[in-house]
């Protein structure tokens, strides 16, 4: 019995290890991490804006946003508080699809994602394109719950989960990198879980 448990444990560990970044542990829960109250956004007033270094900014209401092509995504997510969750299933709109709605100015290299409730987070533009990120509308087959960022949240699975802004309201395209909410508080400007870039001093 002891032998069996040991062998089983080892196998599980080796399967998970190449998907769990350094310093992280796997959880089956979906913890809620929010700095402040959960904003409630009626779909009748919800909007999403693409602005900054674009030829002309675009604002989409809920119906217009939902009329864009949707895709399914399966991703592992990694929170800087050390939990990782494997194989999360989402449906939403790829950032590539959103970028087709605007003409970017050539200087655009960074993005500030901003949310209802004033949360912000900065991400290099190249980390949002080519299938790397999306705006999630459904999670595990259901509309995204308010505490997890519903009606719509950014999901950037290859970076620590604080880059995945809940209650997303828009993307601002910028020439230079600028710190968002947690980044101003000393967190990494980039946040690569595989390089364990938790704090600015890890960059
Ligand atoms: N608008 C907003 N987005 C946010 C946060 C927040 O406080 N406000 N917290 C971030 C952090 S630190 C993490 S780990 C994840 C947590 O998402 P969850 O609550 O769905 O697990 O959301 C990120 N996005
Ligand atoms: Mo986090």
């Amino acid at each position: 019995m002891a032998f069996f448990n040991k062998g089983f444990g080892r196998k599980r560990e080796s399967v998970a290890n190449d998907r769990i970044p350094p310093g992280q542990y796997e959880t089956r829960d979906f913890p809620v991490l929010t700095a402040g109250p959960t904003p409630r956004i009626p779909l009748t007033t919800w909007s999403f804006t693409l602005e900054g270094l674009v030829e002309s900014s675009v604002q989409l209401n809920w119906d217009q946003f939902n009329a864009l092509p949707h895709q399914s995504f399966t991703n592992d997510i990694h929170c800087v508080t050390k939990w990782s969750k494997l194989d999360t299933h989402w449906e939403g709109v790829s950032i590539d699809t959103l970028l087709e709605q605007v003409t970017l100015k050539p200087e655009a290299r960074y993005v500030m994602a901003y949310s209802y409730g004033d949360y912000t987070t900065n991400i290099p533009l190249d980390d949002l394109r080519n299938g790397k990120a999306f705006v999630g509308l459904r999670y595990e087959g259901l509309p995204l719950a308010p505490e997890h960022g519903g009606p719509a949240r950014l999901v950037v699975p290859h970076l620590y989960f604080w880059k995945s802004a809940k209650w997303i309201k828009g993307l601002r395209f910028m020439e230079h990198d600028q710190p968002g909410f947690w980044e101003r508080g000393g967190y990494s400007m980039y946040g690569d879980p595989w390089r364990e870039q938790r704090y600015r001093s890890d960059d």
Side-chain angles (χ1 to χ4, degrees):
M1 191 60 188
F3 178 78
F4 172 81
N5 279 339
K6 202 173 165 195
F8 180 75
R10 234 183 236 156
K11 183 151 188 275
R12 238 187 101 28
E13 204 181 303
S14 67
V15 168
N17 267 350
D18 61 354
R19 293 174 65 185
I20 305 289
Q24 299 288 112
Y25 66 88
E26 183 185 354
T27 181
R28 303 282 166 119
D29 301 332
F30 195 177
V32 172
L33 279 121
T34 301
T38 293
R40 305 279 161 164
I41 310 122
L43 300 184
T44 47
T45 55
W46 185 91
S47 70
F48 182 90
T49 301
L50 298 159
E51 61 174 32
L53 292 174
V54 287
E55 292 302 337
S56 56
S57 56
V58 166
Q59 190 177 48
L60 301 165
N61 66 26
W62 182 251
D63 289 339
Q64 292 165 329
F65 194 92
N66 277 271
L68 296 171
H70 286 42
Q71 286 168 244
S72 297
F73 305 88
T74 300
N75 292 109
D76 301 344
I77 54 180
H78 312 288
C79 174
V80 74
T81 63
K82 303 202 166 179
W83 56 266
S84 289
K85 191 169 170 57
L86 304 182
D87 291 324
T88 62
H89 299 107
W90 302 81
E91 193 185 304
V93 177
S94 161
I95 303 299
D96 298 304
T97 301
L98 293 171
L99 290 173
E100 288 168 13
Q101 313 305 308
V102 287
T103 304
L104 288 174
K105 295 192 174 170
E107 314 88 86
R109 284 188 54 217
Y110 292 92
V111 177
M112 188 67 79
Y114 59 94
S115 296
Y116 288 93
D118 288 340
Y119 187 83
T120 55
T121 189
N122 53 304
I123 305 141
L125 176 57
D126 282 345
D127 285 86
L128 295 182
R129 32 179 30 160
N130 299 319
K132 287 188 181 148
F134 58 93
V135 172
L137 302 166
R138 297 175 72 80
Y139 174 74
E140 301 299 347
L142 295 170
L144 184 58
E147 63 268 28
H148 287 299
R153 84 178 293 168
L154 182 63
V155 182
V156 191
H158 70 288
L159 301 178
Y160 279 124
F161 209 35
W162 87 78
K163 299 287 181 178
S164 295
K166 303 198 275 191
W167 315 292
I168 186 89
K169 193 179 180 193
L171 300 177
R172 185 160 55 252
F173 299 95
M174 313 182 294
E175 182 172 2
H176 302 289
D177 202 6
Q178 285 173 39
F181 176 79
W182 286 116
E183 295 83 3
R184 279 195 301 275
Y187 282 83
S188 167
M189 288 295 272
Y190 185 62
D192 179 352
W194 293 98
R195 287 189 280 162
E196 224 175 333
Q197 291 176 319
R198 299 176 192 274
Y199 307 106
R200 188 73 72 95
S201 54
D202 301 323
D203 285 356

